Amino acid sequence: MTQAPFRIGTRGSALATTQTGHVAAELAALAGVEIETVLVKTEGDVITGPLSQLGGTGVFAAALRQALLTGECDLAVHSLKDLPTTQPEGLVIAATPKRADVRDALCARDGLFLAELPEGATVGTGSPRRAAQLLAFRPDLRIVDIRGNVGTRLGRVKGSPAQADDGGVGRTNQGDLDAVILAAAGLERLGFESHITEYLDPEIMLPAPGQGSLAVEVRAAGSSNAAVDAALEKLDDHDTRLAVTAERALLARLEAGCAAPIGALARVFEDTLVLDSVACRPDGTDTMRRSATTRELTLDGAVALGVALAEQLLREGAAALAGL
C-alpha cells in the first residue's frame, strides 16, 4: 500500500511558499518522503489596516496552527518573528534551521543610502520597531504605514518597475514613496537582492526577535512520521536555536509584540552568547540600548539571559519609554 504524502502547511504568499519549499526539499532529501504542500489562508492575509492593530504577530499564525492541530497538515512552516512568544498547548517548534541574514534592508529610489535620502523623504514600513529606529537616526523622515506582500511593498518605491502581486492585502498606490524597509532575508529568499540599496547595520536598526529565522512546528506527539522526526533533529541549528530563544525570552518578559518598538539580536561568539536589545519611544526621540552575555550555551541559559536583560530594561524604564 502506497504511503500518503507528508503534508506541510504554509501561508499562500510568495515568500511563505518559497520558505516552505526550501524546508520541504530538505525534509524530502533527509527523510525520503513524498511532500505535499497545503495552502492555508490566514487572517493577516485578508484583513486590511495597520498590522500593529490587527492582533499582533499571531495574526499570521493562528489559522496555520489550527490546521496543524486539526490534522489538515502534519507540519507547519512559519517566519519565526510572526509567532507569539507563548507556545500553544499541543504544538512544539521541532526545528529552527540555520538562520539567514538578520538585517533590515533599505530599498530606495535611485540607489540611495539611508543617509542620502533627501530631507523629509517618505519611507514605508508597517513596523513600529523600524519606524522608531528610523526616526532616531533621521528625525526628518516621514514614515508611511504600509501593508502587503514583498512585491506590493517594493512597488511603492518611486521608479520601481511594476511588481507582481500574489493576492495579499495592501495593493494601493504604486511608485509613491522614496523608500521602503523590508527584512533582508525575505528579499534574498525571493531573489530580490537587486532592490536592496543598503543593508542596515544593527547599530542603526536592531532586527525583530527571530528575524531571519524559520520555525518548523509539529504536534507535540511528533510529526506522525519517524523519518521526518529524525530529519527535523538534523535540520535544527543549535546556534540559531540559542539565539532566537534568548531574543524571544526577552520579548516575552517585556510582554511585547510586533506593535512594540523593541529590537533584539543574539549571536554566539565562540563560547559566549551575546544579546543586544533596544527599546524606543515610538516617535524615535529616545532609545535605550542594553546588552548582556552568558557562557551557559543551553536553552535554559538562553532563556535566563533574555529574562535578565528584560528585567534590566524594565528597571531602567523601558516600559514607559516604549509604551509597553
Side-chain angles (χ1 to χ4, degrees), residues 110 167 219:
D110 305 321
R219 290 181 289 275

Side-chain angles (χ1 to χ4, degrees), residues 6 22 50 134 147 162 164 241 248 273 284 297:
F6 187 82
H22 289 318
L134 279 172
R147 290 283 314 280
R241 174 79 76 157
R248 285 166 61 78
L273 178 63
L297 300 185

Side-chain angles (χ1 to χ4, degrees), residues 66-145:
Q66 185 64 24
L68 184 55
L69 284 167
T70 58
E72 294 175 52
C73 57
D74 304 304
L75 176 152
V77 178
H78 309 273
S79 290
L80 186 55
K81 69 183 179 66
D82 289 341
L83 289 185
T85 54
T86 301
Q87 188 65 25
E89 186 178 351
L91 298 178
V92 295
I93 296 175
T96 52
K98 187 174 178 60
R99 197 174 203 172
D101 198 319
V102 301
R103 294 171 293 179
D104 289 295
L106 178 76
C107 302
R109 64 174 176 85
D110 305 321
L112 295 173
F113 286 5
L114 182 58
E116 298 171 332
L117 290 173
E119 185 174 354
T122 52
V123 181
T125 177
S127 162
R129 171 191 61 82
R130 289 173 177 152
Q133 292 184 89
L134 279 172
L135 291 171
F137 185 73
R138 286 282 308 267
D140 62 291
L141 296 176
R142 289 198 299 122
I143 306 300
V144 178
D145 186 83

Side-chain angles (χ1 to χ4, degrees), residues 260-315:
I262 300 292
L265 177 60
R267 287 164 286 190
V268 176
F269 294 103
E270 297 180 351
D271 61 348
T272 303
L273 178 63
V274 179
L275 176 60
D276 297 318
S277 68
V278 65
C280 308
R281 197 179 303 279
D283 63 4
T285 56
D286 195 8
T287 62
M288 179 189 296
R289 279 182 172 257
R290 300 291 185 269
S291 299
T293 65
T294 183
R295 290 190 174 181
E296 188 181 341
L297 300 185
T298 64
L299 293 182
D300 286 345
V303 170
L305 177 65
V307 171
L309 185 53
E311 294 283 4
Q312 179 183 350
L313 288 168
L314 291 171
R315 284 195 305 271

Side-chain angles (χ1 to χ4, degrees), residues 20 56 58 76 84 103 118 125 155 157 173 182-183 216 227 237 289 294:
T20 299
R103 294 171 293 179
T125 177
V157 180
N173 298 329
L182 295 165
V216 184
D237 181 75
R289 279 182 172 257
T294 183

Side-chain angles (χ1 to χ4, degrees), residues 10-45:
T10 180
R11 292 173 56 204
S13 72
L15 179 56
T17 55
T18 298
Q19 292 175 162
T20 299
H22 289 318
V23 172
E26 289 191 70
L27 288 179
L30 288 170
V33 295
E34 181 185 349
I35 301 291
E36 175 184 296
T37 300
V38 178
L39 298 182
V40 178
K41 182 161 286 190
T42 74
E43 190 177 18
D45 295 316

